[in-house]
């Protein structure tokens, strides 16, 4: 839960695997916020090192280009966390767990363990995309809808969707600059 510029959650001690704790506390995975674990009586409190990052829910994202950028980065993270022994299906993807650094434009995810399969991660990403889309006010949301619709299509791999979102963002950029 995000409060006073701090993000922490209470979890069961067995909900995060030991190897995940090693990766998450080391800070070596640049895609996830580093964590600190404190255990008390079968429960743990996980603190996230958020330095400069805030949850997406704290921002007003009214531009399609910004929403596509965030979705593209989240999908890129999902496609790469397994390089660090984190199963993508264990990521919880919401506007409260996806963090943004306004100064650097960096996106990271607060690892909140979730048990699920590949289909569920797509469902979570679609729900996240829907939340992002609800704030778009620039009249260009068709681009976002087109990109987000690829997520539910199981014939597309996540990396292919990332590439398509990049193309859509470039098309949108070209169109908005041509109007200026």
């Amino acid at each position: 839960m995000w409060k006073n510029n701090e993000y922490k959650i209470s979890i069961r001690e067995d909900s995060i695997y030991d190897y995940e704790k090693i990766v998450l506390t080391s800070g070596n995975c640049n895609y996830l916020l580093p964590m600190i674990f404190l255990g008390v009586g079968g429960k743990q409190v996980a603190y996230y090192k958020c330095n400069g990052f805030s949850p997406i829910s704290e921002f007003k994202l009214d531009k399609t280009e910004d929403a596509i950028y965030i979705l593209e980065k989240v999908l890129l993270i999902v496609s790469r966390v397994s390089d660090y022994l984190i199963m993508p299906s264990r990521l919880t993807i919401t506007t409260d767990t996806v963090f943004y650094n306004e100064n650097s434009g960096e996106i990271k995810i607060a690892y909140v363990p979730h048990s699920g399969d590949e289909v569920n991660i797509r469902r979570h990403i679609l729900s996240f995309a829907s939340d992002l889309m609800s704030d778009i006010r620039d009249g260009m949301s068709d681009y976002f809808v087109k990109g987000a619709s690829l997520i539910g299509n199981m014939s597309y791999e996540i990396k292919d969707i990332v590439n398509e979102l990049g193309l859509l963002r470039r098309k949108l950029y070209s169109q908005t600059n041509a109007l200026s």
Side-chain angles (χ1 to χ4, degrees), residues 52-72:
F53 287 85
S54 298
I56 294 294
S57 60
E58 296 287 310
F59 295 93
K60 184 176 172 146
L61 299 168
D62 53 0
K63 291 183 179 178
T64 302
E65 184 178 359
D66 295 340
I68 291 174
Y69 172 80
I70 291 166
L71 185 59
E72 181 183 3

Side-chain angles (χ1 to χ4, degrees), residues 15-176:
S15 65
I16 295 184
Y17 304 122
D18 289 339
Y19 69 88
E20 290 175 327
K21 286 180 187 175
I22 292 168
V23 170
L24 295 166
T25 58
S26 73
N28 289 335
C29 179
N30 293 326
Y31 306 113
L32 304 175
L33 291 174
M35 298 170 72
I36 297 170
F37 297 94
L38 299 175
V40 179
K43 289 263 186 194
Q44 284 191 336
V45 177
Y47 292 90
Y48 298 80
K49 297 178 187 175
C50 301
N51 307 341
F53 287 85
S54 298
I56 294 294
S57 60
E58 296 287 310
F59 295 93
K60 184 176 172 146
L61 299 168
D62 53 0
K63 291 183 179 178
T64 302
E65 184 178 359
D66 295 340
I68 291 174
Y69 172 80
I70 291 166
L71 185 59
E72 181 183 3
K73 294 300 178 186
V74 165
L75 287 167
L76 191 60
I77 290 169
V78 167
S79 73
R80 294 202 172 146
V81 292
S82 60
D83 295 344
Y84 295 89
L85 305 177
I86 304 293
M87 295 302 301
S89 60
R90 289 192 33 91
L91 295 173
T92 301
I93 310 287
T94 68
T95 57
D96 292 324
T97 61
V98 175
F99 281 68
Y100 177 68
N101 183 315
E102 231 175 340
N103 295 327
S104 67
E106 229 181 326
I107 300 286
K108 290 190 180 198
I109 295 176
Y111 181 73
V112 176
H114 175 307
S115 61
D117 58 20
E118 189 65 29
V119 174
N120 285 337
I121 188 71
R122 286 181 184 255
R123 237 182 276 140
H124 287 347
I125 295 169
L126 279 171
S127 176
F128 172 72
S130 176
D131 291 344
L132 289 179
M133 194 174 93
S134 68
D135 290 338
I136 295 174
R137 303 280 181 258
D138 64 1
M140 305 296 235
S141 62
D142 291 349
Y143 284 94
F144 187 82
V145 170
K146 185 176 181 179
S149 69
L150 298 174
I151 296 166
N153 187 336
M154 295 302 284
S155 58
Y156 281 94
E157 290 189 32
I158 298 292
K159 291 178 183 179
D160 296 329
I161 299 167
V162 169
N163 291 335
E164 287 296 319
L165 287 170
L167 288 171
L168 285 171
R169 202 158 46 97
R170 287 190 285 282
K171 286 179 185 176
L172 177 62
Y173 178 80
S174 296
Q175 183 174 348
T176 54

